[in-house]
Amino acid sequence: MTRRTKSFNFNDLFLAGQNSATARNLLIRSPLVGVMANAYNRAGGRVRVGAIDTAADTYIKSVYLVTTRGVPVAEVTSNSTYTDIYFNTSAGNSFVRHKSGWRRLNTGNPKYLQNKLSVKSEHEAADSFDEAVDNGYAWVGIELRGMIDRLVDQAMGEGVTRAPMFGEGGFGHSIDTSLITVMARVFAGEMSPHEVSSSHRTEFQRLFSAYTGKREKFNGALVKAVDFLTGEKWIFANNVNGGVTVGAINDTGLLAAIEKYKSGEALPNQQEGHFNYAVETVPMQWYPSFEHVPGEIRSGIEFSLAMLKTHRNSEKLLPDCTDIWQEMGCASIFNHHGATLYVLAK
């Protein structure tokens, strides 16, 4: 009995709306297609072939691997004979840094690279690719976390990483061990509060007053953050893989992060299966240009940008720097790889 198998459709490899038929066919006929297919399979179908750069339509000079939302995660470059190939998951080619840094694999044999990206590969380049893919999907959430961090820091007038703690540095000086010892003995019942020396009482009152003052300021900053974050937001990412990525999120993840911050924890990291800042109401999708975005979504984003333009009293529709507009519930976040993420009140 003959077993029927499903043939691989190479068209599934490509990000819809990007690259000419000539460029696609050139890649399919090249030795690099096996590399792309293995990367696609290793990522469980979560990557696509992004921008392809050809040399006069004769060979593939470079090709990006991107998420289905268009975020670059790796690049493959080659010479004209495909005998000098580089696979790079460097932070210079992906949008976010990953803990393993970067992995640049060089080979003269396309099948060697293809093998190192197989599903069962344990090569460090494959591990780095896995992490780059995860971070590519987490990119918006990572940027939103940074936005909240800046939002609170801006309201505080200084950088903070968690809620203020009694006796920590920054109040003049940190709590000393003798006061800690006295407080511990009172707490344990070894001495009564009346036995505490006047100098320790004075120091405690000074530190506690400083702590409560800073805690009130921190709580005030969180109130401002909640006001900024409440409600749906458009997400408009410009210059992503030569196009735009757009969608919308609600405030569920954003406000949950504030609650964790308020409880004394650090802002949680965006991590698939654990915490998500970007709870989507309009799924994130990549388009070749803003003109390709469906009309209703495009109109909504244009209206929000126009309102922000009026508020900024600017001739430019798009802000050209990282900034936060508290009263508008909007922010612009410039990525060091050329992309710009706009968070816009919907």
Side-chain angles (χ1 to χ4, degrees), residues 256-284:
I258 293 295
E259 284 302 310
K260 287 183 176 291
Y261 216 8
K262 188 175 183 179
S263 71
E265 299 180 35
L267 277 175
N269 291 318
Q270 170 80 17
Q271 190 174 7
E272 189 174 358
H274 295 280
F275 195 88
N276 182 21
Y277 282 85
V279 180
E280 298 175 14
T281 55
V282 176
M284 302 290 174

Side-chain angles (χ1 to χ4, degrees), residues 69 71 96 135-145 235 237 245 249 270 277-278 284 333 341 343:
R69 299 166 178 176
V71 179
V96 289
N135 285 340
Y137 277 95
W139 174 57
V140 170
I142 290 170
E143 297 290 10
L144 290 173
R145 181 191 185 280
I235 299 296
T245 297
I249 62 172
Q270 170 80 17
Y277 282 85
M284 302 290 174
I333 305 164
L341 182 70
V343 182

Side-chain angles (χ1 to χ4, degrees), residues 131-152:
E131 191 176 348
V133 172
D134 289 341
N135 285 340
Y137 277 95
W139 174 57
V140 170
I142 290 170
E143 297 290 10
L144 290 173
R145 181 191 185 280
M147 179 191 73
I148 294 174
D149 193 29
R150 285 191 294 275
L151 186 64
V152 175

Side-chain angles (χ1 to χ4, degrees), residues 58-125:
T58 58
Y59 75 93
I60 303 295
K61 292 172 61 178
S62 68
V63 55
Y64 278 94
L65 285 161
V66 302
T67 70
T68 56
R69 299 166 178 176
V71 179
V73 296
E75 182 187 23
V76 177
T77 61
S78 177
N79 63 354
S80 61
T81 57
Y82 302 106
T83 55
D84 188 21
I85 299 169
Y86 283 91
F87 174 76
N88 190 3
T89 58
S90 156
N93 289 315
S94 61
F95 272 32
V96 289
R97 293 189 177 276
H98 32 97
K99 62 186 177 184
S100 53
W102 60 271
R103 294 290 179 267
R104 194 179 193 196
L105 190 155
N106 178 223
T107 179
N109 183 357
K111 288 194 176 296
Y112 176 82
L113 176 56
Q114 180 179 333
N115 176 263
K116 297 308 176 188
L117 290 179
S118 67
V119 172
K120 295 183 179 180
S121 174
E122 297 181 356
H123 192 274
E124 60 181 7

